Amino acid sequence: MEHYARLSGKNNNNSGTKEATKNILEALGLGEHRDTKVGDIFFKGLSGGQKRRLSIALEVLSNPNNVFLDEPTSGLDSESAFQVMKFLSEYAKAAPNRRVVLTIHQPSSYIWNLIDNIVLLTKSRLVYQGPRKEIETFFESTGYPTPDHYNPADHYVTAVNDEFSLHELSPEEWEKAFLQWSISRGRQNSSMRRVSSGYIFQSTLQINTNRAGAYKATVELTKRYFLNLFFNPGVLGTRVAMYFMLSLLVGILFWDLGDLTTFSSIQSRVAVLFYCVAFFVFMSIAVLPFTVIERATVEKEVRNGYYHPAIYQLSQAIASIAGTAVLAFLTTLIITTMTGLDEPYWFYLNMFLALFAAEALAQFVSHLVPHFIIGMALIAGVSGRYITLYCYKKKHIIITREKLISFATFIYFFIAVVWSLYAFAGLHGCPIRISWVA
């Protein structure tokens, strides 16, 4: 809540903000869980229903004039659902020009009495639109009055649903009946206009929202990233274990390589540098599952105007520096120590920049694909363009840019790991730029 308050431009040290946060949590039944972690794939925190109520609390914290919710009572018990709807009703009436628009499929009779206006649809056809208190008059006029001791909402939904029961009126006939009923009661006015098969309300009210500036949003998102790492050490810990084991394996395979001066040792140097660039960079793909999981939250926050997508990308780039630095240091320490390669400082800088570029690519891809498996396949395809440059043909180690067909030379400029390999080769005396292809 404090995080979203800061994203909304509020001052958490202000007593009014603290009181508002406390009141919202209490009204939604979350007062006793104010210090509970939300939870994720690594540990259990709030339940599904509590998370749903928390999402409502986060949105109303900034006092928006318009709140849109999709089935806010789904998955809640009857009492929780009633309290949520009661809170939303009180929120809408607490200030002028506020509106709460939501979809709901099966409201109880208690919830039904809290609703002010109804839009009833069937098969995309408008069956009713207007005050809740007048809907019974409309259904009586069509010959479908609500039976005694029956939940009105259940009756109306059953009456217009033609998928599981046989009814005399089709969706088109319901729409026509409502139109005629509206005209007969003089309900058409300048605040409505006809659109295809129904009506929509027009409004010129100004929507005012509270949001933090670009700088504050960047700082807050960066802080959120580090908090996630603190509460979920497995995110970075898993990658550290992966890089440690692979670095150890490379060090064992190319043990004490730096003291050798034979031609085969030059080939081995090219091989170890290739492993460093290809495999360590490719393992940055491990960030995809976590970024894709967070994407839904990011998209919601962007749509709600908390920050611009560029602000999120900037904060992610800043936040990833620390983790990338740790992985690059671990890799450099193990490999340069075990292989005896020179220039450990330049090796570290090159590895850091290569991993940083790979992280950026993974972040970019995570916002293009709906599932992390697709993202992994896409990154594998991009990395494959680099692998095609590397070949074994007699004594030929790599295809140089000069030997590529002219239209294919863009590969050297597009893929960062190619430049990384060239930098590594220059540091360790590997003449990769020499044309060895026969």
Side-chain angles (χ1 to χ4, degrees), residues 398-417:
I398 196 168
I399 300 176
T400 63
R401 187 175 65 189
E402 293 78 7
K403 291 298 182 179
L404 283 174
I405 302 174
S406 58
F407 68 82
T409 57
F410 79 94
I411 295 176
Y412 276 80
F413 300 97
F414 179 71
I415 303 179
V417 291

Side-chain angles (χ1 to χ4, degrees), residues 55-70:
S55 67
I56 297 174
L58 296 176
E59 295 307 321
V60 302
L61 184 61
S62 58
N63 297 319
N65 283 344
N66 299 274
V67 180
F68 295 87
L69 304 107
D70 183 21

Side-chain angles (χ1 to χ4, degrees), residues 8 75 155 171 281 286 346 413 422:
S8 300
H155 170 69
V281 168
W346 286 108
F413 300 97
Y422 276 157

Side-chain angles (χ1 to χ4, degrees), residues 156-198:
Y156 302 144
V157 171
T158 303
V160 301
N161 190 331
D162 68 339
E163 293 184 349
F164 303 101
S165 302
L166 297 178
H167 298 288
E168 297 179 1
L169 298 181
S170 65
E172 293 78 9
E173 290 171 325
W174 275 112
E175 179 187 44
K176 184 178 179 180
F178 171 65
L179 178 60
Q180 293 174 346
W181 180 80
S182 297
I183 295 174
S184 67
R185 293 177 62 86
R187 297 183 68 241
Q188 281 187 279
N189 54 64
S190 58
S191 66
M192 303 176 71
R193 64 184 175 91
R194 185 68 185 270
V195 177
S196 63
S197 61

Side-chain angles (χ1 to χ4, degrees), residues 225-275:
Y225 180 93
F226 284 110
L227 282 175
N228 285 335
L229 285 183
F230 177 77
F231 290 127
N232 305 299
V235 174
L236 182 60
T238 301
R239 298 187 64 195
V240 168
M242 291 168 55
Y243 278 73
F244 173 79
M245 295 180 65
L246 187 56
S247 298
L248 197 63
L249 179 60
V250 171
I252 293 174
L253 291 176
F254 298 95
W255 176 264
D256 208 20
L257 179 64
D259 293 336
L260 302 178
T261 57
T262 61
F263 179 75
S264 60
S265 70
I266 295 178
Q267 290 181 306
S268 296
R269 282 184 173 86
V270 174
V272 69
L273 297 178
F274 169 77
Y275 283 133

Side-chain angles (χ1 to χ4, degrees), residues 271-292:
V272 69
L273 297 178
F274 169 77
Y275 283 133
C276 291
V277 173
F279 291 107
F280 289 118
V281 168
F282 180 73
M283 284 201 306
S284 294
I285 202 172
V287 306
L288 267 176
F290 306 104
T291 53
V292 171

